[in-house]
Amino acid sequence: MMPTGWRLTWVLSIALLAMSALVLALAGSGEEGVRMWIRATARSSGTLFLLTFVARPLHTLLRSDPTRWFLKNRRYIGVSVAVSHFLHLIAILWLTNAWPENSAVDPVTLIGGGLGFAFLFAMGLTSSNAAVAALGSNWRRLHRTGAWYVWFIFAITFIPDAGWDLLHVTFVVAFVGAALLRLVVWLRGRRSS
Ligand code: HEM
């Protein structure tokens, strides 16, 4: 039986901790091991984020039981994105404190990535009916602006510094495809209204 609701968030969070332990157990806790953990948490965050980003347009198009399940559980998967990226933050702090000589963070990453963390954590912390009621239209503004800003950071950061490989091609194509899907469904919605 597939977990749903906050139980799903717990299951995904435990899976993220298990993934982290496995990566550090296999790659070690040296600089390369911690860098591997940073990449692993970026990839788990990117995958979970994509599921929340396409949940509504996919269900609008397909109206199937799986897409209905994803739409109903979008909030709970969304909070697990914040959990995954909290682990990304811990790994980055470990790297920059243990190997400062090899991990200076340039101002663009600090500001652009820092704002990305702020949006992810703000969206995670306001993932409740109480927050929706308290923030009113600002809730929708935060989550819509935040979702697109985080989409942008993921899409550009998955473009590799060195040569392309299948994993980075897959992530970049998936992120561009997700944006096109939302655009197409939004335009169809406008035309039919
Ligand atoms: C100040 C904020 C941030 C810092 C300092 C930071 C630092 C890093 C570092 C050092 C790596 C590369 C590790 C390596 O390959 O050696 C990395 C990879 C990555 N980060 Fe972050 N990050 C930040 C925020 C974010 C945010 C907000 C996002 C997404 C919304 C993000 C998404 C990614 C992605 C997609 C990768 C590439 C993973 C891969 O190539 O597989 N980062 N980050």
Side-chain angles (χ1 to χ4, degrees):
M1 175 70 181
M2 277 292 273
T4 58
W6 292 117
R7 180 190 287 269
L8 175 62
T9 306
W10 277 109
V11 168
L12 290 171
S13 301
I14 292 165
L16 288 164
L17 288 172
M19 172 198 80
S20 301
L22 189 66
V23 167
L24 291 171
L26 295 176
S29 57
E31 183 182 344
E32 197 34 48
V34 175
R35 285 184 179 279
M36 186 79 84
W37 186 28
I38 293 175
R39 294 194 290 272
T41 51
R43 295 164 187 179
S44 54
S45 301
T47 306
L48 293 166
F49 174 80
L50 268 179
L51 294 175
T52 64
F53 195 68
V54 299
R56 183 173 295 288
L58 262 186
H59 188 59
T60 306
L61 275 184
L62 302 176
R63 301 247 165 240
S64 67
D65 288 343
T67 56
R68 185 173 296 107
W69 184 91
F70 273 110
L71 186 56
K72 257 179 78 187
N73 288 288
R74 188 173 57 161
R75 168 182 286 178
Y76 311 106
I77 300 172
V79 173
S80 70
V81 177
V83 172
S84 176
H85 236 55
F86 180 67
L87 296 173
H88 190 65
L89 179 60
I90 293 175
I92 292 162
L93 293 174
W94 183 356
L95 178 80
T96 51
N97 282 290
W99 300 278
E101 68 286 359
N102 300 340
S103 57
V105 180
D106 66 271
V108 174
T109 301
L110 203 58
I111 296 164
L115 189 58
F117 274 124
F119 269 124
L120 275 168
F121 296 150
M123 289 192 282
L125 291 171
T126 56
S127 292
S128 66
N129 293 340
V132 174
L135 294 175
S137 57
N138 286 328
W139 187 93
R140 181 180 282 275
R141 267 190 220 108
L142 168 65
H143 283 253
R144 182 165 290 171
T145 314
W148 277 107
Y149 182 81
V150 169
W151 172 88
F152 173 72
I153 298 293
F154 272 122
I156 57 165
T157 319
F158 272 122
I159 298 174
D161 302 334
W164 286 90
D165 56 19
L166 184 58
L167 182 133
H168 288 92
V169 169
T170 306
F171 268 112
V172 172
V173 168
F175 270 83
V176 172
L180 291 175
L181 172 72
R182 280 185 67 140
L183 188 64
V184 167
V185 170
W186 179 73
L187 288 171
R188 275 173 51 141
R190 262 169 48 108
R191 224 180 303 133
S192 60
S193 61

